[in-house]
Each structure stands twice: as C-alpha cells, then as structure tokens.
C-alpha cells in the first residue's frame, strides 16, 4: 500500500511539473509563412549543395570540418592535461582530510557550471574571435567533467600494488609512478576519448558565436536562407561525428 501511494505521489508530482512548464510557455500561434519556409528548408536539406564540399579558392566544407576537429583535439588535450592535478585533489583516499576532497570536488563542480558557450564568449572577449577562443573554451570547460571522471578512476584503483611498494620502502613519488599511474592511464585515455566525442559536437556549435569551426559558415548560411548549403553542412557534421564515434569507440574498447 505504501509503495503504491509513493508511486502515485511521484506520478502526480511529475504531471503537475509538466503542466506548470507548459503553462509557462507563451504560444503566439503559427505564422502564415510557416508552410512555405518549412518546404524551402526540407527542399534544401534533401538537395544539398555538393559544390560546397571543396572550393579551391576559399573556405569550404572540408576546411570547416578540419578546423572543427582541430579545435576539439586541442581542447581535449588541454583539459586532459590540466584536469589531472584537480582529479588527485578531488579523489578521496585514506589519510586525506574531507575538507581537501570536498574543496576539490567543489572546484570541479564550479568549473562545470559554466557552459561552453559562456566560456567561448569570455575567451572571445579576451583573445578575439576564432579557433583559438573555441579551443580554450572547450579546454577549460572540459576540466570539470574530465576531472570528475579521473577522480573516480583514482578512487576505484586497486590499493594492493601501492601498499606492496610502501611495504618495500618506496616513497610517494615511486608509488605514484609505479603503482597508481599504470592503473589509471587506460581509464584516463578512455575518458579523454569519450570527452573528445562530445567536444566535436560542441566545437561545431561554438562557431555559431564566432569561436571558429564549421558553425561559422553554418550561421552565415542560415542567415542567408541558403538551405541547400545548410543541408550539406549538416550532412558533413553527421558524417564526421559518426566516423569519430566509431573510431573512438573501437579504441576505447581496446584500452579498457
């Protein structure tokens, strides 16, 4: 009886939340040109501009996708390196005070609070628009999530090799180098590859606000209502993300 009451209470609460959310959205109706615009978008997406794939004289799809991949790679490398000290700071183990672990976890949560778009806007103001701002935004933002995953990997490692080295008289640096790092490196690489998959998608979005990548020509095509160019750009992003996901997944399966 008590379980049934709890289930119905949770269901009623969710229904109330959904109703409240929908009533808070102001619906002004559908515009008269919605049908024409929708047909134009669908026609452009089904007939992409294949000539934009490669343009010898200027920016094209391949250059935009390559720049997007480069931004994601650089951002992932920056975060994968900088988050290591944060991970050891936030990892809880014996002989470490709760305040130290708690402060490390708080710092990682604080970094994760700021979305990539906000980070990109900040770095655009600092270093100017372009790929450099996008790479820095992805690198700093990814520290929060990668540091959290790295800390969990450190907490779950086997303590046996470390205790054996300590019993043999090894110092902290030796136990770290020979007992901790060999265990956590496969997880670190796997998490970094997983984050790289996410950064590829994020890098494509950051270009919309001027942080480089394929997002810049995408927003220009959207503003010009060039739907056939929008279609080929979206198709290119889908192909690139799919290929990278397959390669990354294969590598991660071999690592772990």
């Amino acid at each position: 009886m008590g379980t049934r009451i709890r289930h119905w209470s949770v269901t009623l609460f969710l229904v109330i939340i959904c109703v409240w959310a929908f009533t808070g959205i102001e619906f002004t109706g559908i515009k008269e040109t919605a049908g024409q615009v929708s047909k134009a978008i669908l026609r452009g997406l089904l007939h992409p501009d294949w000539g934009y794939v490669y343009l010898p004289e200027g920016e094209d799809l391949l250059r935009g996708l390559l720049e997007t991949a480069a931004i994601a790679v650089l951002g992932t490398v920056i975060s994968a390196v900088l988050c290591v000290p944060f991970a050891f700071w936030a990892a809880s183990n014996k002989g470490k005070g709760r305040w130290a672990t708690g402060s490390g976890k708080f710092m990682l949560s604080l970094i994760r609070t700021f979305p990539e778009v906000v980070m990109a806007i900040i770095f655009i103001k600092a270093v100017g628009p372009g790929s450099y701002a996008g790479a820095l935004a992805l690198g700093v933002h990814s520290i929060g999530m990668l540091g959290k995953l790295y800390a969990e990997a450190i907490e779950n490692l086997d303590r046996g090799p470390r205790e054996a080295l300590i019993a043999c008289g090894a110092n902290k640096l030796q136990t770290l180098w020979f007992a901790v790092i060999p265990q956590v490196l496969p997880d670190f690489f796997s998490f970094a590859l997983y984050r790289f998959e996410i950064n590829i998608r994020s890098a494509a979005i950051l270009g919309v606000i001027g942080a480089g990548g394929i997002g810049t020509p995408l927003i220009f095509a959207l503003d010009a209502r060039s739907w056939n160019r929008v279609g080929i750009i979206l198709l290119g992003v889908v192909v690139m993300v799919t290929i990278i996901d397959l390669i990354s997944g294969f590598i991660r399966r071999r690592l772990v």
Side-chain angles (χ1 to χ4, degrees), residues 95-235:
K96 191 175 182 181
R98 287 186 177 180
W99 64 270
T101 302
S103 60
K105 293 183 182 298
F106 172 77
M107 184 60 65
L108 292 176
S109 298
L110 181 64
I111 297 174
R112 292 200 305 274
T113 302
F114 299 96
E116 297 100 330
V117 175
V118 175
M119 288 285 187
I121 294 174
I122 294 174
F123 282 111
I124 286 174
K125 298 298 181 181
V127 302
S131 304
Y132 190 50
L136 291 177
L138 289 179
V140 174
H141 173 77
S142 300
I143 290 175
M145 181 54 68
L146 267 184
K148 181 178 182 295
L149 296 174
Y150 282 14
E152 292 179 354
I154 296 171
E155 293 172 352
N156 295 329
L157 60 83
D158 185 9
R159 306 292 178 183
R162 180 173 177 271
E163 293 175 354
L165 287 175
I166 293 175
C168 294
N171 56 35
K172 291 184 177 180
L173 182 59
Q174 291 172 329
T175 57
L176 177 66
W177 186 257
F178 293 104
V180 176
I181 292 181
Q183 292 190 70
V184 298
L185 269 184
D187 289 332
F188 282 9
F189 283 128
S190 178
F191 292 145
L193 287 172
Y194 175 70
R195 188 65 205 183
F196 173 64
E197 297 175 13
I198 299 175
N199 285 344
I200 282 287
R201 299 171 177 84
S202 300
I205 297 173
L206 293 183
V208 175
I209 60 173
I214 195 63
T216 301
L218 176 60
I219 193 64
F220 288 158
L222 288 171
D223 290 339
R225 299 180 184 275
S226 180
W227 303 117
N228 55 347
R229 180 159 294 186
V230 172
I232 192 62
I233 292 174
L234 293 179
L235 180 62

Side-chain angles (χ1 to χ4, degrees), residues 26-32 34:
E26 183 179 355
F27 180 69
T28 57
I30 301 176
K31 294 184 178 181
E32 297 179 356

